[in-house]
Amino acid sequence: MRDRSHLRVSCRASPSLALVKYWGKRDEGLNIPATPSLAVGLGGLETSTFVAASPDSADHVSIDGRTQESARFAPFFDALRSRLDSPLRFQVESHNSFPTGAGFASSSSGFAALTLAASRLVTELENRPPLEPPLLSELARHGSASAARAVYGGFTVLEAGAHCAEAFLPADHWPELRIVAAIVFRGEKSHSSRSAMAATRETSPYYDRWLADAPLLYARAKAALIGRDLEELGQTMRLSYSRMHASALAAEPPLLYWLPASVALLRACAELRERGVGAWETMDAGPQVKVICLENDLAVVRAGLTAAVPGIELISAIPASPPQTLVIEGGPESP
Ligand code: 2P0
């Protein structure tokens, strides 16, 4: 074993935006998804994570300078240690270049970066080869199912019932694709995805219909993505998020993530389409709106969104490259 105080690992990963949504679990403890999802990494948005050996016998995690409750991370660290047969405890510092916990899938990039960095620290210290992507994806899933997708770049899939996600197409499959993320609200969302999924499963009369329908949308969206058919992909995406939100809205109590500005942005996309501009929106477990379009239309799409909600903050993303992991040698004080 190498000197653990002289090694750190950093990783940068982008959040995974679902074009077809994962919403619901087959196994709550293990984060096994009940629906298949198809996603693109949001290149330009990023979680940066640094991992070192813990100075004591506990794991420590801070995100954007705020110490995190250990309960959220314990199942993940326990799974990682068990799978790698390592007793190592971790000291983690993580920063997001976008709002945390607000529907930008920060848990996907966060747990992906943490998985890549923490597992690499273990394998470096023990002079073992780095883990293969499917195992990294499986480990990331213990943190968040969407993180299983974010260990890859480009376009990814996570099948219903799967233990790990798979790379589907590389980022350069569709270099002209753009994703505009509109920051409707910067605060944290009112209910976590996890509790909202559980509430939907337990109380929404539409949950079973959502589960039955999701594979059809998934197959349709994959074909559209292979064919780079923006209109077909956009229509399928729209059905996926609408049906996900409809099932959540029918829960007791109802789960409503949308704010007035969210609705104004959805209407702005509809108006853009009426003008012949391909602008197709999606929403996750929060009020933010993400719009896919082609590079040529980026300026007009941004202008349309801004006209609908003056002052709205927009971030333009491209299909993400794979996460970058870096092993840093040197003393604990070195950058
Ligand atoms: C997705 N979402 O496919 C869906 C669409 C939100 C809406 O994955 O409980 O943080 O940790 O597995 O991955 C957000 O939920 O949930 C999410 P857990 P996660 O991207």
Side-chain angles (χ1 to χ4, degrees):
M1 166 96 76
R2 291 161 71 181
D3 181 353
R4 56 170 58 186
S5 67
H6 285 72
L7 208 60
R8 287 194 303 160
V9 180
S10 74
C11 181
R12 292 186 306 180
S14 294
S16 172
L17 172 71
L19 307 171
V20 170
K21 306 299 182 187
Y22 146 57
W23 191 253
K25 298 178 201 280
R26 279 202 190 156
D27 182 310
E28 299 232 337
L30 292 175
N31 288 338
I32 304 291
T35 63
S37 54
L38 168 67
V40 60
L42 295 178
L45 281 67
E46 199 168 84
T47 297
S48 305
T49 299
F50 291 83
V51 177
S54 171
D56 53 36
S57 58
D59 298 306
H60 305 274
V61 179
S62 88
I63 300 178
D64 293 332
R66 292 201 309 197
T67 302
Q68 302 296 302
E69 283 184 22
S70 58
R72 174 70 182 92
F73 290 84
F76 167 79
F77 284 127
D78 289 346
L80 186 90
R81 278 188 281 269
S82 161
R83 200 73 160 77
L84 295 185
D85 195 19
S86 165
L88 198 65
R89 306 270 159 174
F90 301 95
Q91 170 112 22
V92 180
E93 264 181 53
S94 194
H95 299 275
N96 290 320
S97 72
F98 55 93
T100 302
F104 275 110
S106 56
S107 64
S108 67
S109 49
F111 276 108
L114 178 56
T115 302
L116 291 160
S119 65
R120 187 66 182 270
L121 182 68
V122 171
T123 55
E124 284 290 320
L125 286 170
E126 297 182 358
N127 292 317
R128 291 158 60 179
L131 304 184
E132 295 295 327
L135 178 52
L136 291 165
S137 175
E138 184 179 331
L139 290 171
R141 193 204 73 237
H142 286 275
S144 259
S146 55
R149 302 187 311 237
V151 303
Y152 306 100
F155 301 90
T156 55
V157 291
L158 177 60
E159 302 283 346
H163 285 241
C164 66
E166 293 164 55
F168 181 57
L169 290 164
D172 64 6
H173 168 69
W174 203 348
E176 305 83 19
L177 191 71
R178 293 292 176 273
I179 308 100
V180 183
I183 304 182
V184 167
F185 180 66
R186 270 202 170 264
E188 297 215 1
K189 58 197 172 198
S190 45
H191 10 255
S192 70
S193 298
R194 189 159 291 191
S195 60
M197 281 183 207
T200 307
R201 178 172 62 81
E202 286 158 17
T203 66
S204 174
Y206 302 154
Y207 182 68
D208 288 345
R209 290 305 308 267
W210 156 250
L211 293 191
D213 179 67
L216 307 175
L217 296 180
Y218 174 65
R220 202 175 137 182
K222 281 200 301 182
L225 181 58
I226 288 169
R228 296 189 204 93
D229 184 338
L230 186 73
E231 185 166 347
E232 171 69 1
L233 180 62
Q235 285 177 354
T236 316
M237 247 175 76
R238 187 173 54 175
L239 287 174
S240 180
Y241 91 83
S242 299
R243 290 175 182 174
M244 174 199 128
H245 281 266
S247 70
L249 189 57
E252 184 178 358
L255 292 156
L256 176 61
Y257 286 106
W258 302 12
L259 291 175
S262 316
V263 178
L265 293 167
L266 308 190
R267 293 200 183 286
C269 289
E271 281 169 23
L272 283 161
R273 292 194 296 271
E274 278 165 23
R275 287 162 44 199
V277 179
W280 297 93
E281 79 283 355
T282 187
M283 291 183 69
D284 294 292
Q288 326 298 3
V289 176
K290 297 99 177 184
V291 181
I292 65 165
C293 65
L294 298 181
E295 185 182 11
N296 284 345
D297 290 330
L298 183 61
V300 67
V301 169
R302 288 182 63 108
L305 299 176
T306 305
V309 182
I312 187 83
E313 192 178 340
L314 302 175
I315 304 172
S316 298
I318 58 173
S321 305
Q324 300 287 313
T325 305
L326 188 66
V327 178
I328 305 163
E329 302 266 2
E333 303 304 324
S334 67

